[in-house]
Amino acid sequence: MKRIKKMLSIMLAMVMTLAMCSSVFAANNEPTDATKDSYTITLNGKTSGHTYEAYQVFKGELASKDDKLVLSNIEWGNGVKETANLVKELAEIAGSGITEGMTAAQVAEKLQEQADNSDVIKAVTDVIGKDAYLGTSAGTSTESANNVYTISVEEAGYYFIKDTGTISSNGTATDYILQVVGDATVNTKDDVVDLDKEIVSGNDQGVDSNKASIGDDVTYRLKSKVPEHAAYKKYYFIMNDTLSDGLTFNNDVVVKIGGQTLTRDTDYYIYEGANNDPLAEGATATSQSFKIAFANIKAYTAGTDIVVTYSAKLNENAVIGENGNTNTANLTYSNNPNDSGSGDPDTPDEKPGIPDSDKNVPLGNTPDKVVVTFTTQVAIFKTQNGNTTPLEGAEFTLTGISKQTALATEDVYTPAEDGTWYSLTDGSYTETAPQTVATMEEAGEGATAGYVVAEDDYTGDDIEVVGDVRYRPYREGDTGTIYIKIEPNADKYASTTIKYKHETATTTTVTERAIKMVGTSDEKGQIIFKGLGEGEYLITETKTPAGFNTALPIKVVIKGEVSGTAYQATCKWIHTLSSDGVVVRPLEDDTHKDDIEDEYYVNIVNNSGSTLPSTGGIGTTIFYIIGGILVVGAAILLVTKKRMSKEA
């Protein structure tokens, strides 16, 4: 009996921690009235929407002793059934000390020997939580404000608490709980998983939207944290990204956890399309969707920052005008630590980080995060002689500068006591430690050159003394270890004592891209310069139809005003033009209306060349006529005279 009381006293002092398929015991409960008619378990959660069920594993008499609650006269509670089979399965757990046929009190005595959150306790909890052994629920939780849940039970005892409710978006189920009751308060170990997505602006700030020209690269950044994963056998952590048709993935992903750059196809893998086809580094993406799957997120400390950057190019399929080009991301993650379906995938070597499609794996998804890129156009309509008659064949050239944000990754070496890198005099770094004095190292099996330890009576001039040991050159037939002399190289090091920590840093740069577009007016007199971002542009007529005058250059300043966020974001474009003879016609004019909203159309009138008046009068014309007649008359007279001479 003393041992049982001691066991229950220790149980009472254990602290519950929640992790996948694991449990620990509650601790620091304040002693309460051991004769109460009911007791309350209070659960402080992180997310809403959970439903907790309490199952009584052991029951007994609750008393307060030495300021602690003690459970004595232990029996099986109504929360477990098939207790003989339950004990049999518990006996199969290595290190439990439980054997078949034990009573509830004997099982409890063995459990009190286990440490908090030990592998044995985790395994015991998993067995108790099986549907085959769970009996009647002793109480169901009610939820109040701030994610606080309470369960009222009628009897004192040792309770198994299970999360049975619907898991909220970006939440997880809590781990099983083993709790000694009296009144008790515990903190659940459900988790909140989140993903943020942003466009990287020119000053390295994250924004929800931007304006760009076709051909520009848009840089994106995904941010999350390593989740709580201690209780999970396998934790899936997959970032999903979908680009609209107007964006082309550049396949230039950089992944960092805690500032350290991860290795692609080792630490994480990239898949594309609905079939999760592997996308090799440097390959051209063929799908508008891709996944970044982490090989083993459990290798990293929970709470550490995860930052992913990549870019996409705005292409010729971009949506023009008020509605933009979206990029949507969410996170798929393991969300139930108590489900055996969360083990390794059936074919882990085939698609690392991706669960088998035929396997029932408990997964959750965070809400979509959306960013959008807007672009616009300038439409020109060539007419002639001041009216709306189209003028075909006029060539115009648009020029300007587009600014785009790009990310560059560079190596950074910082002095650190735990560093492993050294600085060389040529400005490079190496992890090879400096050789400050000569040493002898074993040459290895099969060596036929080097040094051997010299005999005591050897007096040759070729003796090498290294570390107080005398060596001579190796000769064919010598036995024993062959050594190679390693000469000092400290002169190549900037310092032989200062060590450096190697990190990679991502810097944001703004680059300028020259834009040049050339178009010729069609039979409608129309030219469209499609896919322009904010900026200042010059439109010049570079080929004028014969008989018409060349139009003056047109300066166009484009600004975009974005309103709303995420899917609701829209952009109102404003075009400011300056040039003589230019008519700006907004969309409300039905003459050239199409489906693009907030667009402006430039009407350029080309006048034909002038027909200049002639000098001189009608007399000149008469002189030309008379002169012609005289010439003809003179010719006739000459012919007549020749005929008359022949007849004479």
Side-chain angles (χ1 to χ4, degrees):
M1 181 64 68
K2 290 182 178 179
R3 294 189 67 184
I4 292 176
K5 291 183 177 181
K6 178 181 178 183
M7 173 197 73
L8 293 176
S9 177
I10 293 175
M11 278 185 172
L12 187 61
M14 292 182 175
V15 179
M16 183 280 297
T17 59
L18 301 169
M20 175 175 268
C21 299
S22 67
S23 69
V24 251
F25 298 93
N28 299 326
N29 292 315
E30 292 295 330
T32 57
D33 184 356
T35 63
K36 291 174 60 174
D37 293 333
S38 65
Y39 301 91
T40 300
I41 306 171
T42 301
L43 303 167
N44 294 322
K46 293 183 179 179
T47 55
S48 62
H50 294 266
T51 299
Y52 297 100
E53 298 283 348
Y55 297 87
Q56 188 186 52
V57 180
F58 299 133
K59 64 181 178 179
E61 298 174 2
L62 187 69
S64 177
K65 183 178 180 180
D66 298 330
D67 294 328
K68 293 182 179 180
L69 292 176
V70 177
L71 192 67
S72 59
N73 297 323
I74 294 176
E75 300 177 3
W76 290 113
N78 294 328
V80 289
K81 61 185 179 181
E82 302 291 337
T83 55
N85 290 332
L86 171 60
V87 174
K88 182 178 180 180
E89 189 165 348
L90 292 177
E92 296 174 356
I93 299 173
S96 68
I98 300 171
T99 58
E100 285 190 58
M102 280 188 169
T103 65
Q106 290 170 328
V107 171
E109 183 178 359
K110 291 299 180 183
L111 291 181
Q112 65 93 20
E113 297 174 359
Q114 300 298 324
D116 292 358
N117 204 29
S118 68
D119 290 340
V120 171
I121 289 297
K122 293 178 182 179
V124 167
T125 309
D126 289 344
V127 173
I128 294 174
K130 291 183 177 181
D131 291 339
Y133 301 128
L134 285 182
T136 303
S137 171
T140 303
S141 67
T142 58
E143 183 179 359
S144 58
N146 301 319
N147 306 321
V148 175
Y149 303 82
T150 56
I151 306 175
S152 179
V153 294
E154 294 182 357
E155 291 184 293
Y158 185 52
Y159 280 84
F160 173 90
I161 301 172
K162 183 178 182 179
D163 188 351
T164 62
T166 301
I167 302 172
S168 63
S169 176
N170 80 321
T172 67
T174 191
D175 183 22
Y176 296 145
I177 303 170
L178 289 175
Q179 175 69 51
V180 176
V181 173
D183 293 335
T185 299
V186 295
N187 295 320
T188 66
K189 278 290 187 177
D190 56 325
D191 195 14
V192 178
V193 182
D194 200 7
L195 177 72
D196 190 24
K197 184 180 185 70
E198 58 192 19
I199 295 173
V200 182
S201 66
N203 56 0
D204 200 31
Q205 297 298 307
V207 295
D208 292 332
S209 64
N210 73 327
K211 281 82 69 175
S213 300
I214 288 179
D216 284 354
D217 288 328
V218 182
T219 300
Y220 300 97
R221 184 159 53 207
L222 301 173
K223 296 191 294 185
S224 187
K225 291 183 181 296
V226 177
E228 294 287 347
H229 50 61
Y232 290 75
K233 297 176 182 176
K234 170 70 178 181
Y235 199 109
Y236 291 102
F237 196 80
I238 306 165
M239 293 180 173
N240 309 294
D241 202 287
T242 302
L243 302 162
S244 60
D245 291 340
L247 293 163
T248 302
F249 177 44
N250 287 331
N251 195 11
D252 55 354
V253 173
V254 175
V255 178
K256 294 184 179 182
I257 294 183
Q260 296 296 314
T261 301
L262 273 58
T263 302
R264 183 166 174 170
D265 295 335
T266 299
D267 301 322
Y268 67 94
Y269 296 79
I270 297 181
Y271 304 95
E272 66 171 343
N275 295 325
N276 295 325
D277 298 318
L279 181 62
E281 189 170 3
T284 300
T286 59
S287 174
Q288 294 304 113
S289 64
F290 67 94
K291 292 179 171 65
I292 303 170
F294 289 77
N296 183 18
I297 200 70
K298 285 171 61 66
Y300 308 98
T301 303
T304 306
D305 289 334
I306 303 173
V307 179
V308 176
T309 54
Y310 68 93
S311 69
K313 190 177 296 293
L314 193 66
N315 63 44
E316 63 278 2
N317 298 319
V319 173
I320 307 296
E322 176 180 340
N323 298 314
N325 302 272
T326 58
N327 188 342
T328 305
N330 62 35
L331 185 66
T332 298
Y333 60 96
S334 297
N335 70 348
N336 193 341
N338 307 306
D339 194 313
S340 60
S342 58
D344 291 334
D346 293 332
T347 53
D349 295 331
E350 182 179 349
K351 292 181 179 178
I354 299 289
D356 192 294
S357 59
D358 297 328
K359 193 170 184 178
N360 182 22
V361 179
L363 299 171
N365 284 285
T366 62
D368 287 345
K369 295 296 178 71
V370 182
V371 292
V372 60
T373 296
F374 297 99
T375 191
T376 187
Q377 69 182 28
V378 172
I380 294 175
F381 292 91
K382 282 289 291 184
T383 60
Q384 50 183 308
N385 298 329
N387 56 45
T388 58
T389 303
L391 178 60
E392 185 177 1
E395 179 188 271
F396 282 81
T397 299
L398 179 145
T399 57
I401 299 295
S402 175
K403 294 184 178 181
Q404 54 184 315
T405 302
L407 294 181
T409 301
E410 61 181 9
D411 294 319
V412 177
Y413 295 89
T414 306
E417 291 183 3
D418 60 346
T420 59
W421 292 77
Y422 295 87
S423 173
L424 300 176
T425 55
D426 63 1
S428 62
Y429 291 82
T430 179
E431 283 193 289
T432 302
Q435 191 76 22
T436 57
V437 296
T439 60
M440 286 289 186
E441 294 185 3
E442 293 186 12
E445 186 177 355
T448 58
Y451 293 85
V452 296
V453 176
E455 298 80 3
D456 292 340
D457 58 353
Y458 185 80
T459 59
D461 295 336
D462 50 4
I463 279 288
E464 292 282 349
V465 179
V466 177
D468 295 330
V469 179
R470 299 166 69 249
Y471 297 87
R472 65 168 174 79
Y474 166 82
R475 299 187 182 92
E476 186 176 355
D478 285 340
T479 60
T481 304
I482 302 174
Y483 297 90
I484 295 177
K485 184 179 180 181
I486 307 299
E487 298 289 351
N489 61 355
D491 59 322
K492 297 180 180 180
Y493 287 73
S495 172
T496 59
T497 57
I498 299 177
K499 296 182 179 181
Y500 294 82
K501 183 177 181 180
H502 176 218
E503 297 176 307
T504 56
T506 302
T507 57
T508 304
T509 59
V510 178
T511 60
E512 294 185 344
R513 182 173 66 89
I515 291 180
K516 182 179 180 181
M517 299 182 183
V518 179
T520 301
S521 59
D522 57 19
E523 67 277 5
K524 298 179 181 180
Q526 176 178 267
I527 306 169
I528 296 179
F529 295 113
K530 179 181 178 181
L532 298 173
E534 286 188 327
E536 184 176 303
Y537 304 93
L538 187 67
I539 302 175
T540 306
E541 187 169 9
T542 48
K543 181 180 178 181
T544 305
F548 290 86
N549 295 319
T550 301
L552 295 173
I554 306 165
K555 179 181 177 182
V556 183
V557 178
I558 298 177
K559 291 288 185 182
E561 297 178 352
V562 178
S563 59
T565 57
Y567 283 118
Q568 290 74 40
T570 57
C571 183
K572 180 176 179 61
W573 290 98
I574 301 173
H575 301 64
T576 304
L577 299 98
S578 58
S579 180
D580 293 337
V582 174
V583 178
V584 179
R585 183 162 44 225
L587 184 66
E588 285 71 17
D589 185 336
D590 291 335
T591 305
H592 295 290
K593 184 175 182 178
D594 61 18
D595 294 332
I596 301 171
E597 298 183 13
D598 294 321
E599 252 330 314
Y600 292 82
Y601 296 89
V602 183
N603 191 43
I604 302 174
V605 179
N606 261 35
N607 294 314
S608 58
S610 300
T611 303
L612 299 177
S614 300
T615 57
I618 192 171
T620 304
T621 304
I622 293 175
F623 291 151
Y624 291 152
I625 296 173
I626 294 175
I629 294 173
L630 290 175
V631 171
V632 173
I636 294 173
L637 180 60
L638 179 60
V639 172
T640 302
K641 285 184 177 183
K642 287 185 177 182
R643 288 181 177 177
M644 291 178 63
S645 297
K646 290 180 179 180
E647 292 176 355

